Amino acid sequence: MDRSLNKLLVHHYKKIMIALALIISGIYLVQTVSDITSWKSNYNYFTSEKSKEHFEKQIKESYSFDDQEQGKVFLYFDLNKEETVYTDSFEEYKNYNLTVFNPNEDANQLAFNSYPFYNEHFLQFLIIFVLSGILLFLLDLKSNFNALLFTSKYKRSTIYWNKYYLIGGTLSLSLFISKIISLLAYRFFIPNTFLNISLKQHIISSFSGWFTLVSLFILCSFLGLIIGNWLFGLAATLTILFTFQSFLSNIDYIVQTFFLNEKDLASKVSTNMLSTVLPLRQVTTQPFNALPLLILIFLSAVVLFLGQFIFESITLENSGNFIIIPKLKRIIQIVIIIYGTITFASGTFLLTFFPNEKIEYTGMVINSFKIGLILLALYLLTDFILFNKKPKIIEKILF
Protein backbone atom coordinates (compact mmCIF):
# COMPACT_ATOMS: atom_id res chain seq x y z
CA MET A 1 0.00 0.00 0.00
CA ASP A 2 1.43 3.40 -1.04
CA ARG A 3 1.70 5.53 2.13
CA SER A 4 1.48 8.93 0.42
CA LEU A 5 -1.58 7.83 -1.57
CA ASN A 6 -3.09 6.35 1.57
CA LYS A 7 -2.66 9.69 3.40
CA LEU A 8 -4.33 11.52 0.50
CA LEU A 9 -7.26 9.12 0.40
CA VAL A 10 -7.67 9.10 4.19
CA HIS A 11 -7.78 12.92 4.16
CA HIS A 12 -10.40 12.82 1.38
CA TYR A 13 -12.55 10.01 2.87
CA LYS A 14 -11.97 10.64 6.60
CA LYS A 15 -15.42 12.07 7.35
CA ILE A 16 -17.15 9.36 5.30
CA MET A 17 -15.22 6.59 7.06
CA ILE A 18 -16.02 7.97 10.52
CA ALA A 19 -19.70 8.40 9.61
CA LEU A 20 -20.00 4.84 8.28
CA ALA A 21 -18.28 3.33 11.33
CA LEU A 22 -20.50 5.30 13.72
CA ILE A 23 -23.73 4.46 11.86
CA ILE A 24 -23.02 0.72 11.68
CA SER A 25 -21.83 0.39 15.27
CA GLY A 26 -24.65 2.68 16.42
CA ILE A 27 -27.36 0.54 14.82
CA TYR A 28 -25.97 -2.57 16.51
CA LEU A 29 -25.47 -0.85 19.85
CA VAL A 30 -29.00 0.56 19.99
CA GLN A 31 -30.67 -2.64 18.79
CA THR A 32 -28.63 -5.00 20.98
CA VAL A 33 -29.12 -2.91 24.12
CA SER A 34 -32.82 -2.53 23.30
CA ASP A 35 -33.29 -6.29 22.77
CA ILE A 36 -31.45 -7.29 25.94
CA THR A 37 -33.20 -4.62 28.03
CA SER A 38 -36.55 -5.73 26.65
CA TRP A 39 -35.77 -9.37 27.45
CA LYS A 40 -34.67 -8.51 30.99
CA SER A 41 -37.91 -6.60 31.52
CA ASN A 42 -39.92 -9.56 30.23
CA TYR A 43 -37.93 -11.95 32.41
CA ASN A 44 -38.69 -9.90 35.52
CA TYR A 45 -42.37 -9.93 34.64
CA PHE A 46 -42.71 -13.64 33.76
CA THR A 47 -40.86 -14.72 36.91
CA SER A 48 -43.10 -12.62 39.15
CA GLU A 49 -46.25 -13.62 40.99
CA LYS A 50 -48.19 -11.04 39.00
CA SER A 51 -47.51 -12.94 35.77
CA LYS A 52 -48.62 -16.24 37.30
CA GLU A 53 -51.79 -14.65 38.63
CA HIS A 54 -52.51 -13.18 35.20
CA PHE A 55 -51.98 -16.62 33.59
CA GLU A 56 -54.37 -18.29 36.07
CA LYS A 57 -56.93 -15.56 35.40
CA GLN A 58 -56.74 -16.32 31.67
CA ILE A 59 -57.24 -20.02 32.43
CA LYS A 60 -60.41 -19.24 34.41
CA GLU A 61 -61.72 -16.90 31.70
CA SER A 62 -61.18 -19.60 29.05
CA TYR A 63 -64.04 -21.66 30.57
CA SER A 64 -66.50 -18.96 29.52
CA PHE A 65 -65.86 -19.88 25.88
CA ASP A 66 -67.73 -22.84 24.50
CA ASP A 67 -64.91 -24.56 22.61
CA GLN A 68 -62.45 -27.43 22.98
CA GLU A 69 -59.70 -25.19 24.32
CA GLN A 70 -61.32 -24.55 27.70
CA GLY A 71 -58.77 -24.44 30.50
CA LYS A 72 -55.95 -23.37 28.13
CA VAL A 73 -54.25 -20.13 27.12
CA PHE A 74 -53.40 -19.08 23.58
CA LEU A 75 -49.66 -19.50 22.88
CA TYR A 76 -49.07 -18.86 19.17
CA PHE A 77 -50.36 -19.56 15.68
CA ASP A 78 -48.22 -22.11 13.84
CA LEU A 79 -47.97 -20.83 10.25
CA ASN A 80 -46.42 -24.09 9.04
CA LYS A 81 -49.20 -26.34 10.32
CA GLU A 82 -51.85 -23.60 10.07
CA GLU A 83 -53.16 -24.31 13.54
CA THR A 84 -53.46 -22.47 16.83
CA VAL A 85 -51.38 -23.74 19.74
CA TYR A 86 -52.70 -23.50 23.32
CA THR A 87 -51.23 -24.51 26.66
CA ASP A 88 -52.31 -25.02 30.27
CA SER A 89 -48.72 -25.05 31.58
CA PHE A 90 -47.38 -21.80 33.05
CA GLU A 91 -43.77 -22.96 32.54
CA GLU A 92 -44.39 -23.61 28.86
CA TYR A 93 -46.14 -20.25 28.57
CA LYS A 94 -43.26 -18.48 30.32
CA ASN A 95 -40.49 -20.24 28.39
CA TYR A 96 -42.14 -19.54 25.06
CA ASN A 97 -42.46 -15.83 25.77
CA LEU A 98 -38.88 -15.61 27.02
CA THR A 99 -37.34 -17.48 24.06
CA VAL A 100 -35.26 -15.01 22.04
CA PHE A 101 -34.54 -16.94 18.84
CA ASN A 102 -37.90 -18.63 18.51
CA PRO A 103 -38.20 -21.31 15.79
CA ASN A 104 -41.99 -20.98 15.64
CA GLU A 105 -43.10 -18.85 12.71
CA ASP A 106 -45.58 -16.92 14.79
CA ALA A 107 -47.39 -13.88 13.45
CA ASN A 108 -48.00 -12.77 17.06
CA GLN A 109 -44.40 -12.81 18.27
CA LEU A 110 -42.74 -9.70 19.59
CA ALA A 111 -40.09 -8.14 17.38
CA PHE A 112 -37.13 -9.56 19.32
CA ASN A 113 -38.60 -13.06 19.01
CA SER A 114 -38.50 -12.91 15.20
CA TYR A 115 -34.94 -13.75 14.31
CA PRO A 116 -33.63 -13.58 10.73
CA PHE A 117 -31.31 -16.57 10.31
CA TYR A 118 -28.80 -14.92 7.98
CA ASN A 119 -28.19 -11.71 9.89
CA GLU A 120 -29.67 -8.90 11.92
CA HIS A 121 -30.96 -5.49 10.75
CA PHE A 122 -30.56 -6.53 7.10
CA LEU A 123 -32.71 -3.79 5.53
CA GLN A 124 -30.84 -0.91 7.17
CA PHE A 125 -27.45 -2.34 6.28
CA LEU A 126 -28.59 -3.25 2.77
CA ILE A 127 -29.28 0.44 2.09
CA ILE A 128 -25.94 1.51 3.61
CA PHE A 129 -23.83 -1.06 1.75
CA VAL A 130 -25.61 -0.63 -1.60
CA LEU A 131 -25.32 3.17 -1.56
CA SER A 132 -21.70 3.05 -0.34
CA GLY A 133 -20.82 0.62 -3.12
CA ILE A 134 -22.40 2.68 -5.89
CA LEU A 135 -20.89 5.95 -4.64
CA LEU A 136 -17.39 4.50 -4.08
CA PHE A 137 -16.33 5.32 -7.64
CA LEU A 138 -19.29 7.32 -8.98
CA LEU A 139 -18.94 10.09 -6.37
CA ASP A 140 -15.28 10.73 -7.17
CA LEU A 141 -16.05 10.70 -10.89
CA LYS A 142 -18.49 13.58 -10.43
CA SER A 143 -16.36 15.48 -7.91
CA ASN A 144 -13.32 15.47 -10.24
CA PHE A 145 -11.26 13.67 -7.59
CA ASN A 146 -10.62 10.90 -10.10
CA ALA A 147 -9.22 13.45 -12.55
CA LEU A 148 -6.76 14.54 -9.86
CA LEU A 149 -5.74 10.96 -9.12
CA PHE A 150 -5.47 9.97 -12.79
CA THR A 151 -3.02 12.80 -13.47
CA SER A 152 -0.92 11.99 -10.39
CA LYS A 153 2.09 9.69 -10.09
CA TYR A 154 0.05 6.85 -8.62
CA LYS A 155 -0.87 3.72 -10.55
CA ARG A 156 -4.54 3.22 -11.23
CA SER A 157 -4.44 -0.29 -9.85
CA THR A 158 -3.02 1.07 -6.58
CA ILE A 159 -5.74 3.74 -6.44
CA TYR A 160 -8.40 1.12 -7.09
CA TRP A 161 -7.33 -1.24 -4.30
CA ASN A 162 -6.63 1.54 -1.80
CA LYS A 163 -10.22 2.79 -2.19
CA TYR A 164 -11.46 -0.68 -1.36
CA TYR A 165 -9.07 -1.00 1.58
CA LEU A 166 -10.32 2.24 3.13
CA ILE A 167 -14.06 2.36 2.43
CA GLY A 168 -14.66 -1.39 2.07
CA GLY A 169 -12.39 -2.06 5.03
CA THR A 170 -14.24 0.46 7.19
CA LEU A 171 -17.61 -1.06 6.31
CA SER A 172 -16.61 -4.69 6.68
CA LEU A 173 -14.49 -4.24 9.83
CA SER A 174 -17.14 -2.10 11.57
CA LEU A 175 -19.81 -4.67 10.75
CA PHE A 176 -17.57 -7.58 11.79
CA ILE A 177 -16.70 -6.08 15.17
CA SER A 178 -20.31 -5.03 15.80
CA LYS A 179 -21.55 -8.55 15.08
CA ILE A 180 -19.00 -10.09 17.45
CA ILE A 181 -19.90 -7.67 20.26
CA SER A 182 -23.64 -8.22 19.67
CA LEU A 183 -23.24 -12.01 19.61
CA LEU A 184 -21.22 -11.99 22.85
CA ALA A 185 -23.71 -9.63 24.50
CA TYR A 186 -26.63 -11.96 23.74
CA ARG A 187 -24.79 -14.97 25.09
CA PHE A 188 -23.43 -13.19 28.16
CA PHE A 189 -26.58 -11.35 29.31
CA ILE A 190 -29.22 -13.95 28.34
CA PRO A 191 -29.09 -17.56 29.66
CA ASN A 192 -28.47 -20.18 26.97
CA THR A 193 -31.70 -21.97 27.90
CA PHE A 194 -33.66 -19.00 26.58
CA LEU A 195 -31.56 -18.33 23.48
CA ASN A 196 -32.73 -21.48 21.67
CA ILE A 197 -29.84 -21.26 19.24
CA SER A 198 -26.46 -22.99 19.44
CA LEU A 199 -23.21 -21.05 19.25
CA LYS A 200 -22.54 -22.65 15.85
CA GLN A 201 -25.95 -21.54 14.52
CA HIS A 202 -25.44 -18.08 15.93
CA ILE A 203 -22.02 -17.69 14.28
CA ILE A 204 -23.24 -19.02 10.92
CA SER A 205 -26.28 -16.77 11.14
CA SER A 206 -24.36 -13.59 11.91
CA PHE A 207 -21.40 -14.03 9.60
CA SER A 208 -23.24 -15.37 6.57
CA GLY A 209 -24.96 -11.99 6.81
CA TRP A 210 -21.54 -10.33 6.90
CA PHE A 211 -20.43 -12.15 3.74
CA THR A 212 -23.74 -11.27 2.07
CA LEU A 213 -23.48 -7.54 2.72
CA VAL A 214 -19.78 -7.31 1.81
CA SER A 215 -20.50 -9.18 -1.44
CA LEU A 216 -23.38 -6.81 -2.25
CA PHE A 217 -21.08 -3.84 -1.57
CA ILE A 218 -18.55 -5.17 -4.10
CA LEU A 219 -21.22 -5.89 -6.72
CA CYS A 220 -22.73 -2.42 -6.31
CA SER A 221 -19.30 -0.78 -6.43
CA PHE A 222 -18.81 -2.47 -9.81
CA LEU A 223 -22.03 -0.81 -10.99
CA GLY A 224 -20.77 2.53 -9.70
CA LEU A 225 -17.49 1.94 -11.51
CA ILE A 226 -19.02 1.50 -14.97
CA ILE A 227 -21.82 4.08 -14.53
CA GLY A 228 -21.05 7.69 -15.39
CA ASN A 229 -24.48 9.34 -15.26
CA TRP A 230 -26.06 10.06 -11.87
CA LEU A 231 -29.66 10.22 -13.10
CA PHE A 232 -29.62 6.97 -15.07
CA GLY A 233 -27.34 5.26 -12.55
CA LEU A 234 -29.52 5.88 -9.50
CA ALA A 235 -32.68 5.16 -11.53
CA ALA A 236 -31.23 1.82 -12.63
CA THR A 237 -30.25 0.95 -9.04
CA LEU A 238 -33.73 1.76 -7.68
CA THR A 239 -35.33 -0.22 -10.51
CA ILE A 240 -33.27 -3.30 -9.63
CA LEU A 241 -34.09 -2.97 -5.92
CA PHE A 242 -37.84 -2.73 -6.57
CA THR A 243 -38.01 -5.45 -9.24
CA PHE A 244 -35.50 -7.98 -7.89
CA GLN A 245 -38.13 -9.94 -5.97
CA SER A 246 -40.26 -10.27 -9.14
CA PHE A 247 -37.16 -11.38 -11.02
CA LEU A 248 -36.47 -14.11 -8.43
CA SER A 249 -40.11 -15.23 -8.42
CA ASN A 250 -40.08 -15.63 -12.19
CA ILE A 251 -36.82 -17.57 -12.03
CA ASP A 252 -38.60 -19.90 -9.59
CA TYR A 253 -41.49 -20.19 -12.03
CA ILE A 254 -39.11 -21.11 -14.87
CA VAL A 255 -37.37 -23.73 -12.68
CA GLN A 256 -40.72 -25.24 -11.73
CA THR A 257 -41.88 -25.36 -15.35
CA PHE A 258 -38.79 -26.86 -16.99
CA PHE A 259 -36.77 -28.63 -14.30
CA LEU A 260 -39.19 -30.07 -11.74
CA ASN A 261 -41.84 -32.71 -12.24
CA GLU A 262 -45.08 -32.83 -10.25
CA LYS A 263 -43.66 -35.32 -7.70
CA ASP A 264 -40.70 -33.10 -6.87
CA LEU A 265 -42.65 -29.84 -6.92
CA ALA A 266 -44.14 -30.11 -3.45
CA SER A 267 -41.04 -31.50 -1.74
CA LYS A 268 -38.27 -29.51 -3.41
CA VAL A 269 -39.66 -26.12 -4.33
CA SER A 270 -41.10 -25.48 -0.87
CA THR A 271 -37.63 -25.60 0.68
CA ASN A 272 -35.38 -24.48 -2.17
CA MET A 273 -37.19 -21.62 -3.91
CA LEU A 274 -34.74 -18.83 -4.65
CA SER A 275 -37.05 -16.27 -3.10
CA THR A 276 -36.83 -18.06 0.28
CA VAL A 277 -33.21 -19.22 0.42
CA LEU A 278 -31.64 -15.88 -0.43
CA PRO A 279 -30.56 -13.75 2.54
CA LEU A 280 -33.35 -11.24 1.88
CA ARG A 281 -36.03 -13.77 2.73
CA GLN A 282 -34.82 -16.72 4.80
CA VAL A 283 -35.93 -16.46 8.42
CA THR A 284 -35.82 -18.44 11.68
CA THR A 285 -33.36 -21.14 12.65
CA GLN A 286 -34.02 -23.36 9.66
CA PRO A 287 -31.17 -25.36 8.03
CA PHE A 288 -28.61 -23.13 6.37
CA ASN A 289 -28.56 -23.15 2.56
CA ALA A 290 -25.02 -22.20 1.54
CA LEU A 291 -25.40 -22.36 -2.27
CA PRO A 292 -26.89 -18.86 -2.84
CA LEU A 293 -24.28 -17.33 -0.55
CA LEU A 294 -21.41 -19.14 -2.32
CA ILE A 295 -22.72 -17.95 -5.70
CA LEU A 296 -22.90 -14.37 -4.36
CA ILE A 297 -19.34 -14.55 -3.01
CA PHE A 298 -18.05 -16.02 -6.29
CA LEU A 299 -19.70 -13.28 -8.37
CA SER A 300 -18.35 -10.55 -6.11
CA ALA A 301 -14.81 -12.02 -6.33
CA VAL A 302 -15.03 -12.07 -10.13
CA VAL A 303 -16.19 -8.45 -10.47
CA LEU A 304 -13.68 -7.32 -7.82
CA PHE A 305 -10.71 -8.38 -9.96
CA LEU A 306 -12.47 -7.51 -13.23
CA GLY A 307 -13.06 -4.03 -11.87
CA GLN A 308 -9.33 -3.35 -11.67
CA PHE A 309 -8.86 -3.84 -15.41
CA ILE A 310 -11.92 -1.69 -16.15
CA PHE A 311 -10.71 1.07 -13.81
CA GLU A 312 -7.39 1.15 -15.63
CA SER A 313 -9.15 1.70 -18.98
CA ILE A 314 -11.53 4.49 -17.89
CA THR A 315 -11.36 7.67 -19.96
CA LEU A 316 -12.82 10.77 -18.32
CA GLU A 317 -14.34 12.13 -21.55
CA ASN A 318 -16.97 9.38 -21.31
CA SER A 319 -17.86 10.21 -17.71
CA GLY A 320 -21.19 11.81 -18.66
CA ASN A 321 -22.48 8.67 -20.35
CA PHE A 322 -24.60 6.05 -18.63
CA ILE A 323 -21.87 3.45 -19.23
CA ILE A 324 -18.41 5.00 -19.33
CA ILE A 325 -16.74 1.99 -21.00
CA PRO A 326 -17.96 1.97 -24.65
CA LYS A 327 -17.00 -1.69 -25.19
CA LEU A 328 -19.39 -2.77 -22.42
CA LYS A 329 -22.47 -1.01 -23.76
CA ARG A 330 -23.72 -3.82 -25.99
CA ILE A 331 -23.13 -6.42 -23.26
CA ILE A 332 -24.99 -4.24 -20.73
CA GLN A 333 -27.84 -3.82 -23.21
CA ILE A 334 -28.20 -7.59 -23.60
CA VAL A 335 -28.11 -8.07 -19.80
CA ILE A 336 -30.79 -5.40 -19.27
CA ILE A 337 -33.04 -6.91 -21.95
CA ILE A 338 -32.68 -10.42 -20.47
CA TYR A 339 -33.33 -9.12 -16.93
CA GLY A 340 -36.33 -7.05 -18.08
CA THR A 341 -37.77 -9.92 -20.11
CA ILE A 342 -37.55 -12.36 -17.20
CA THR A 343 -39.01 -9.78 -14.79
CA PHE A 344 -41.88 -8.46 -16.91
CA ALA A 345 -42.60 -11.07 -19.60
CA SER A 346 -41.59 -14.57 -18.48
CA GLY A 347 -44.84 -15.21 -16.60
CA THR A 348 -46.93 -14.28 -19.63
CA PHE A 349 -44.65 -16.31 -21.91
CA LEU A 350 -44.94 -19.49 -19.81
CA LEU A 351 -48.71 -19.12 -19.37
CA THR A 352 -49.08 -18.67 -23.12
CA PHE A 353 -46.74 -21.29 -24.57
CA PHE A 354 -46.48 -23.77 -21.66
CA PRO A 355 -49.94 -23.51 -20.05
CA ASN A 356 -51.30 -25.94 -17.47
CA GLU A 357 -54.68 -25.59 -19.13
CA LYS A 358 -55.62 -25.01 -22.74
CA ILE A 359 -55.60 -21.33 -23.69
CA GLU A 360 -57.81 -19.77 -26.35
CA TYR A 361 -56.31 -18.55 -29.60
CA THR A 362 -57.35 -14.95 -28.89
CA GLY A 363 -55.55 -15.07 -25.54
CA MET A 364 -52.38 -16.38 -27.19
CA VAL A 365 -52.43 -13.52 -29.71
CA ILE A 366 -52.96 -10.88 -27.02
CA ASN A 367 -50.25 -12.33 -24.78
CA SER A 368 -47.82 -12.62 -27.69
CA PHE A 369 -48.51 -8.98 -28.53
CA LYS A 370 -47.78 -8.01 -24.90
CA ILE A 371 -44.48 -9.92 -24.94
CA GLY A 372 -43.51 -8.26 -28.22
CA LEU A 373 -44.28 -4.80 -26.83
CA ILE A 374 -42.17 -5.47 -23.73
CA LEU A 375 -39.20 -6.63 -25.83
CA LEU A 376 -39.56 -3.63 -28.16
CA ALA A 377 -39.81 -1.21 -25.23
CA LEU A 378 -36.71 -2.69 -23.58
CA TYR A 379 -34.75 -2.49 -26.84
CA LEU A 380 -35.76 1.12 -27.58
CA LEU A 381 -35.15 2.20 -23.98
CA THR A 382 -31.68 0.65 -23.80
CA ASP A 383 -30.80 2.01 -27.24
CA PHE A 384 -31.75 5.50 -26.10
CA ILE A 385 -29.99 5.33 -22.72
CA LEU A 386 -26.84 3.49 -23.81
CA PHE A 387 -26.34 4.75 -27.37
CA ASN A 388 -28.40 7.96 -27.30
CA LYS A 389 -30.49 6.75 -30.23
CA LYS A 390 -33.95 8.31 -30.32
CA PRO A 391 -36.62 6.16 -32.00
CA LYS A 392 -37.70 7.72 -35.30
CA ILE A 393 -41.35 7.75 -34.19
CA ILE A 394 -40.45 9.85 -31.10
CA GLU A 395 -38.29 12.17 -33.20
CA LYS A 396 -41.21 12.81 -35.52
CA ILE A 397 -43.51 13.53 -32.58
CA LEU A 398 -41.04 15.86 -30.85
CA PHE A 399 -39.83 17.65 -33.93
Side-chain angles (χ1 to χ4, degrees):
M1 183 181 291
D2 192 300
R3 290 186 178 181
S4 60
L5 174 61
N6 193 41
K7 288 182 180 179
L8 176 63
L9 293 177
V10 168
H11 177 76
H12 184 71
Y13 294 129
K14 181 170 60 177
K15 292 181 180 178
I16 297 174
M17 292 165 64
I18 293 173
L20 289 173
L22 289 176
I23 290 171
I24 291 172
S25 58
I27 290 174
Y28 260 99
L29 176 65
V30 170
Q31 190 62 53
T32 303
V33 171
S34 175
D35 285 353
I36 293 174
T37 304
S38 179
W39 185 88
K40 291 286 186 183
S41 176
N42 275 350
Y43 179 79
N44 291 334
Y45 171 74
F46 283 106
T47 54
S48 67
E49 285 298 319
K50 184 178 179 181
S51 173
K52 195 165 185 177
E53 289 173 3
H54 181 67
F55 177 79
E56 291 172 352
K57 182 181 176 182
Q58 291 183 77
I59 292 288
K60 291 178 182 178
E61 290 175 348
S62 69
Y63 287 104
S64 62
F65 298 99
D66 188 18
D67 58 30
Q68 60 181 355
E69 302 301 338
Q70 289 181 341
K72 294 182 180 180
V73 172
F74 170 79
L75 200 59
Y76 63 91
F77 182 80
D78 192 326
L79 296 178
N80 289 326
K81 297 180 180 179
E82 295 186 351
E83 64 180 26
T84 305
V85 178
Y86 293 84
T87 184
D88 58 1
S89 168
F90 177 73
E91 284 301 312
E92 185 180 358
Y93 175 76
K94 181 186 75 174
N95 291 338
Y96 173 79
N97 283 282
L98 289 176
T99 300
V100 178
F101 302 140
N102 206 315
N104 296 312
E105 293 188 10
D106 174 16
N108 296 285
Q109 290 184 60
L110 296 176
F112 66 88
N113 275 343
S114 299
Y115 181 68
F117 183 77
Y118 269 81
N119 61 91
E120 315 82 26
H121 331 302
F122 188 84
L123 182 59
Q124 298 97 312
F125 288 131
L126 176 67
I127 296 171
I128 294 170
F129 277 69
V130 166
L131 289 179
S132 299
I134 292 171
L135 295 178
L136 178 62
F137 295 102
L138 182 58
L139 185 63
D140 288 342
L141 190 66
K142 302 303 292 183
S143 65
N144 297 320
F145 187 60
N146 269 358
L148 171 66
L149 294 175
F150 287 176
T151 55
S152 66
K153 62 179 181 178
Y154 306 112
K155 293 182 179 179
R156 288 199 183 187
S157 59
T158 307
I159 297 170
Y160 175 84
W161 289 109
N162 276 34
K163 283 188 176 186
Y164 269 117
Y165 292 146
L166 292 177
I167 303 300
T170 299
L171 283 167
S172 58
L173 187 61
S174 300
L175 185 64
F176 189 87
I177 294 173
S178 297
K179 281 180 175 290
I180 290 177
I181 294 174
S182 178
L183 186 151
L184 292 175
Y186 274 113
R187 307 198 80 83
F188 182 79
F189 291 105
I190 299 176
N192 287 337
T193 53
F194 294 112
L195 285 177
N196 196 38
I197 185 173
S198 67
L199 179 60
K200 179 181 177 182
Q201 285 177 312
H202 207 165
I203 291 173
I204 291 175
S205 168
S206 292
F207 294 102
S208 59
W210 183 85
F211 280 111
T212 298
L213 288 167
V214 171
S215 298
L216 288 174
F217 166 75
I218 294 171
L219 291 171
C220 289
S221 66
F222 182 77
L223 285 178
L225 175 63
I226 63 175
I227 290 173
N229 185 288
W230 277 81
L231 177 62
F232 289 146
L234 292 177
T237 304
L238 290 173
T239 300
I240 292 173
L241 285 175
F242 284 112
T243 60
F244 192 60
Q245 185 57 45
S246 296
F247 173 76
L248 290 178
S249 297
N250 286 332
I251 291 289
D252 287 333
Y253 192 15
I254 292 170
V255 170
Q256 293 176 36
T257 302
F258 294 107
F259 301 104
L260 292 177
N261 54 47
E262 291 185 2
K263 292 182 180 179
D264 295 332
L265 196 58
S267 61
K268 291 186 177 180
V269 177
S270 61
T271 56
N272 293 318
M273 287 175 64
L274 288 175
S275 59
T276 58
V277 299
L278 282 176
L280 288 169
R281 298 282 296 179
Q282 188 167 354
V283 295
T284 75
T285 53
Q286 58 187 292
F288 177 68
N289 190 327
L291 181 60
L293 184 58
L294 292 175
I295 292 173
L296 196 61
I297 294 173
F298 173 76
L299 290 175
S300 64
V302 170
V303 301
L304 181 63
F305 290 97
L306 178 61
Q308 178 188 335
F309 296 103
I310 292 176
F311 189 72
E312 291 176 347
S313 61
I314 289 176
T315 53
L316 295 177
E317 58 266 22
N318 292 318
S319 60
N321 298 331
F322 176 35
I323 302 298
I324 60 178
I325 309 296
K327 293 180 180 179
L328 293 177
K329 287 184 177 181
R330 190 62 68 184
I331 297 174
I332 298 296
Q333 182 182 34
I334 293 171
V335 170
I336 292 174
I337 291 174
I338 292 173
Y339 179 87
T341 302
I342 292 174
T343 303
F344 301 109
S346 59
T348 305
F349 177 82
L350 293 174
L351 286 173
T352 304
F353 299 103
F354 300 92
N356 293 326
E357 299 178 359
K358 187 176 180 180
I359 186 171
E360 295 182 0
Y361 179 76
T362 306
M364 290 186 65
V365 173
I366 293 173
N367 288 343
S368 299
F369 182 70
K370 289 179 181 178
I371 295 169
L373 280 179
I374 291 172
L375 287 170
L376 179 62
L378 288 170
Y379 175 77
L380 294 177
L381 181 65
T382 52
D383 239 28
F384 171 68
I385 294 175
L386 293 169
F387 301 97
N388 199 28
K389 294 181 181 178
K390 294 185 178 71
K392 293 182 179 179
I393 297 176
I394 295 179
E395 286 184 347
K396 288 180 180 180
I397 293 174
L398 295 177
F399 302 101

